[in-house]
Amino acid sequence: MESDTGILRKMCSGPATRGVAAGAAPSFAVHRRTAVQRSHGISALRAAAILFVFAFGAPLLGCGSGASSPPAPPPSDEQRAQALLDPAATLPPRAEVVALADAVAIASSRAGRTERGAALAMLAADLRARSFRLDQAEADAREALELYAAAASAVAGTPQGCEADRRRALLAGDLARDAAVSYRETYLASRRQAVLAPRTPCHAALERSLAMSSAYRPRADALRALEREGDLASEAASRGAPSPSAFAASPPPSGAVSPESAPPSSASSNQAASEGQVVVTPRDATAAKEPVKLVSLEPFGSEKGGRVVIHLSGPTTFQVGTLGADAAAGKDARVFVDIARASAKGVPRETEVGGVVRRVRLGAQEGGNTRVVLDLAASLYRRVFYLPDPFRIVIDVSTRPPVRKDEQDASGKREVRRVVLDPGHGGNDTGAVGPTGLKEKEVTLDIAHRAATIVSRELGIETMLTRDDDTYVPLDLRTARANAFHADLFVSVHCNASENGQARGPMTFSLDRVRDPEGLAMRVAARENASRPRKTGGEGDARSIDEEMALIASNLDVGDLMARSRHVADLLQRSTLASLGVRWPDTKDQGTKTAGFFVLVGADMPAVLFETSFISNPDDEARLATADYRQKLADAVANAIRAYREGK
């Protein structure tokens, strides 16, 4: 097998008159899995690199002359991506394209909302879009839509921002395989850009696209609804709202709703996720018959998603409804929750949030009910469910659909672009404390920091911590941050504890009903859930709560998330034993278990809770106090993520 340098050297050989003239286009292209590539044993990405160096670096290499000069540096990820966008270049296997696009996207994220960051986001999006059009993997199209939207938002009001929005609109139609969707998305993009940017060639291109697809323009009422939606898009753009990364296959319904008026919602207790909405309500028998009080609201919003947690004094029933934007009435798209027999005295009637959740509004209704309305930046996917003890209603909205398959490419590899690591406890919540005073919150933060470094640098995966210092983050907000980050995996890091201090070893949990006959899993869940004040206590109450949590989880289990989470838990447990076993062969395997952890409920990606070791055990505590042991635990987390990505 020849080296890349040897191949380049052969390319440079021959009569001097056959050399490539300065500025001339290369006379060969990168081909996918060709006989030539097989004979040389080089991958298509390496071939793309050789193409780039030969075409643009030949003068530096001294081709056609007798001069000897140092070899040119290898091309950057950006240069390799640009080479693969050449129409003459054929893409390598999808896994290689995804890895390269992810590397460029990570560079874009680091560059921030700048012109440079937008250019890198568009480059990564173009590569993903080309991959989608070749392999028809929907994950590529969805990722490209997000990247185009991020670029359009970062440089809104510029020709570059307009072009990103235009490409997003066209790709949305390709993904839907519907020319009517292409027309709708292009129309909305043209309305946004007419407000944002002075007239550029991009505007003319949008107009040409609309003219070419005029046969698919909606008629009558549908056209008027689209025009109203266009008015809203223009208004939202003028307020600086981000371009949407998701799209609707048909325009959302128009209408108006206020907290004080409109008929009660007739939404069912569990609507199909395929309709963009998942709702889980309590059984009437478990709800209190007397009035309840809305105690507080806990809102969170970002550009990709948001969560509002409604804290109530006791259990009750609720109904959910949604309405599309109404430009004539100046109304945003909304989701509302009607809470039975609830008062909201003392709670602000309107709370500004930010991101895709503009604000939250409250209003009293007839019959003693309270309506909670979320004003949204766009029509979004929705999940509304409840959590017991203390009773609260959780409203999740996202640009990402709730149903996503466990997609693996031909080689079995999975796409893992973003990971969230959740260091347990923090701030005034110390977690468990060891015999010598070692605090769980300090150990978990250190392990998460170590793991994040490996995952981001060695695996090239964007990594976010739910807390980066010694601060308290509510359990509900931790999952909300992971959802808004559009994470592909969520790992919550903890230290275990037992009453007698004898138990030892790592244990990994996923969300489901407790199946531990000894009751250890239930006690662990009760302790980890106790960072939020509870109204009940005792083993009977814990078992009742666990059963209710299992019911909620099963109703939220779209896309087989629970099974995938169990698989990740198994990978992490095995990885941990392998990492610790060489140095500490007496490590006890506590196995994988299931329980109803609040921090895992509502995660829209595979999620696990990792009990690293028992801090209550003197030997385990001594090990947890050392940097070596913590590093081995961090290695285990990274290796499990690597294994999951590789399809194991």
Side-chain angles (χ1 to χ4, degrees):
M1 181 184 297
E2 293 182 326
S3 67
D4 294 355
T5 305
I7 295 170
L8 285 172
R9 191 175 294 115
K10 278 193 173 185
M11 292 175 178
C12 289
S13 64
T17 56
R18 299 285 301 278
V20 179
S27 59
F28 57 90
V30 181
H31 295 283
R32 188 177 192 173
R33 295 184 286 273
T34 63
V36 172
Q37 286 183 29
R38 283 197 298 270
S39 67
H40 286 297
I42 61 175
S43 70
L45 276 181
R46 291 175 64 201
I50 294 167
L51 163 61
F52 182 90
V53 173
F54 180 70
F56 302 101
L60 296 178
L61 289 169
C63 290
S65 71
S68 176
S69 58
S76 65
D77 290 336
E78 180 181 359
Q79 292 167 334
R80 293 161 63 204
Q82 289 170 339
L84 288 178
L85 289 177
D86 187 324
T90 305
L91 292 183
R94 178 173 176 270
E96 296 184 38
V97 177
V98 168
L100 180 57
D102 285 352
V104 177
I106 291 172
S108 168
S109 178
R110 289 171 179 161
R113 294 172 60 83
T114 62
E115 186 175 343
R116 170 70 175 163
L120 290 171
M122 280 192 66
L123 177 60
D126 287 343
L127 194 54
R128 281 293 197 125
R130 189 171 184 214
S131 177
F132 164 71
R133 290 177 174 122
L134 178 67
D135 294 326
Q136 293 297 298
E138 291 188 2
D140 288 331
R142 289 194 296 267
E143 191 60 38
L145 289 173
E146 286 191 18
L147 290 165
Y148 282 136
S153 177
V155 288
T158 69
Q160 185 184 15
C162 176
E163 180 60 23
D165 204 4
R166 186 184 76 86
R167 296 184 192 181
R168 187 207 64 82
L170 295 177
L171 181 59
D174 288 351
L175 176 58
R177 296 176 176 83
D178 188 342
V181 171
S182 294
Y183 184 91
R184 173 180 177 273
E185 294 297 317
T186 303
Y187 173 79
L188 295 177
S190 69
R191 293 294 302 271
R192 281 191 296 271
Q193 297 308 318
V195 173
L196 287 172
R199 186 165 181 82
T200 66
C202 173
H203 293 80
L206 286 168
E207 292 170 358
R208 286 195 301 272
S209 296
L210 287 173
M212 292 173 63
S213 57
S214 59
Y216 299 94
R217 182 172 55 191
R219 302 287 188 268
D221 292 344
L223 179 59
R224 286 190 289 274
L226 178 58
E227 289 172 345
R228 287 195 297 269
E229 196 176 354
D231 293 338
L232 182 69
S234 298
E235 181 186 349
S238 66
R239 295 198 303 264
S243 299
S245 57
F247 67 93
S250 59
S254 61
V257 62
S258 70
E260 296 80 12
S261 63
S265 165
S266 59
S268 63
S269 62
N270 194 355
Q271 295 191 17
S274 59
E275 297 175 0
Q277 179 163 288
V278 177
V279 179
V280 181
T281 61
R283 294 164 294 185
D284 289 343
T286 64
K289 302 305 179 185
E290 59 273 5
V292 298
K293 185 179 185 324
L294 197 158
V295 178
S296 64
L297 295 173
E298 195 173 47
F300 168 77
S302 75
E303 289 189 1
K304 295 182 179 180
R307 169 175 285 188
V308 175
V309 182
I310 306 169
H311 297 266
L312 296 156
S313 61
T316 188
T317 57
F318 59 89
Q319 292 182 312
V320 180
T322 60
L323 284 172
D326 186 349
K331 299 287 187 180
D332 294 315
R334 287 137 287 163
V335 56
F336 60 91
V337 178
D338 291 336
I339 308 173
R341 302 179 304 280
S343 63
K345 185 177 181 181
V347 180
R349 294 292 173 177
E350 187 168 314
T351 303
E352 297 294 324
V353 182
V356 296
V357 182
R358 298 199 189 285
R359 67 193 66 82
V360 181
R361 296 180 286 123
L362 305 179
Q365 290 188 300
E366 293 183 3
N369 299 341
T370 293
R371 171 165 286 184
V372 180
V373 180
L374 277 63
D375 293 326
L376 307 176
S379 295
L380 302 170
Y381 297 102
R382 308 161 298 279
R383 293 192 310 165
V384 185
F385 57 97
Y386 75 100
L387 293 173
D389 196 27
F391 189 87
R392 51 211 189 273
I393 300 171
V394 181
I395 308 171
D396 280 339
V397 293
S398 178
T399 59
R400 183 164 73 165
V403 178
R404 297 183 308 282
K405 298 178 182 178
D406 183 14
E407 294 185 353
Q408 296 175 262
D409 61 20
S411 65
K413 293 184 178 180
R414 297 182 179 89
E415 183 177 37
V416 180
R417 297 191 67 253
R418 301 183 183 94
V419 168
V420 168
L421 301 179
D422 171 44
H425 308 278
N428 58 2
D429 176 17
T430 59
V433 179
T436 66
L438 184 64
K439 297 176 181 178
E440 179 181 3
K441 67 173 184 177
E442 297 170 353
V443 176
T444 59
L445 183 61
D446 185 40
I447 293 171
H449 272 137
R450 293 170 183 268
T453 300
I454 303 170
V455 174
S456 61
R457 291 183 182 176
E458 295 187 13
L459 303 186
I461 297 174
E462 280 190 85
T463 307
M464 184 183 78
L465 301 181
T466 56
R467 68 179 180 95
D468 199 36
D469 52 23
D470 186 22
T471 56
Y472 173 73
V473 179
L475 296 178
D476 300 332
L477 184 55
R478 294 170 187 253
T479 313
R481 290 179 175 177
N483 291 345
F485 188 57
H486 285 188
D488 300 302
L489 285 175
F490 176 85
V491 180
S492 189
V493 182
H494 291 260
C495 297
N496 217 335
S498 64
E499 291 83 354
N500 59 19
Q502 298 301 309
R504 298 181 59 188
M507 179 186 304
T508 311
F509 286 89
S510 61
L511 181 65
D512 201 347
R513 177 179 284 104
V514 168
R515 294 182 173 86
D516 176 15
E518 298 178 359
L520 176 59
M522 187 177 298
R523 292 193 295 273
V524 174
R527 181 177 63 81
E528 299 296 0
N529 291 342
S531 61
R532 180 178 292 282
R534 297 171 62 185
K535 297 196 169 191
T536 59
E539 184 175 340
D541 290 325
R543 188 172 299 279
S544 174
I545 290 171
D546 177 74
E547 291 176 356
E548 193 165 7
M549 291 287 286
L551 179 63
I552 296 168
S554 65
N555 280 284
L556 290 174
D557 187 26
V558 292
D560 206 19
L561 276 179
M562 292 170 73
R564 284 188 276 165
S565 296
R566 287 193 294 271
H567 178 60
V568 174
D570 182 60
L571 289 175
L572 180 52
Q573 185 69 15
R574 285 189 284 148
S575 175
T576 304
L577 295 174
S579 183
L580 298 177
V582 176
R583 175 77 182 276
W584 297 277
D586 62 340
T587 299
K588 180 175 176 56
D589 179 11
Q590 292 287 352
T592 59
K593 302 183 186 299
T594 56
F597 291 93
F598 287 157
V599 74
L600 301 182
V601 176
D604 67 358
M605 75 293 296
V608 299
L609 188 141
F610 180 34
E611 295 284 5
T612 55
S613 291
F614 280 80
I615 199 171
S616 56
N617 179 276
D619 293 333
D620 272 11
E621 183 201 26
R623 293 175 182 179
L624 285 167
T626 66
D628 191 19
Y629 195 74
R630 296 181 188 183
Q631 188 61 50
K632 288 292 190 294
L633 291 167
D635 293 342
V637 172
N639 289 335
I641 293 171
R642 179 188 285 110
Y644 181 77
R645 186 175 68 174
E646 291 177 352
K648 296 180 180 178

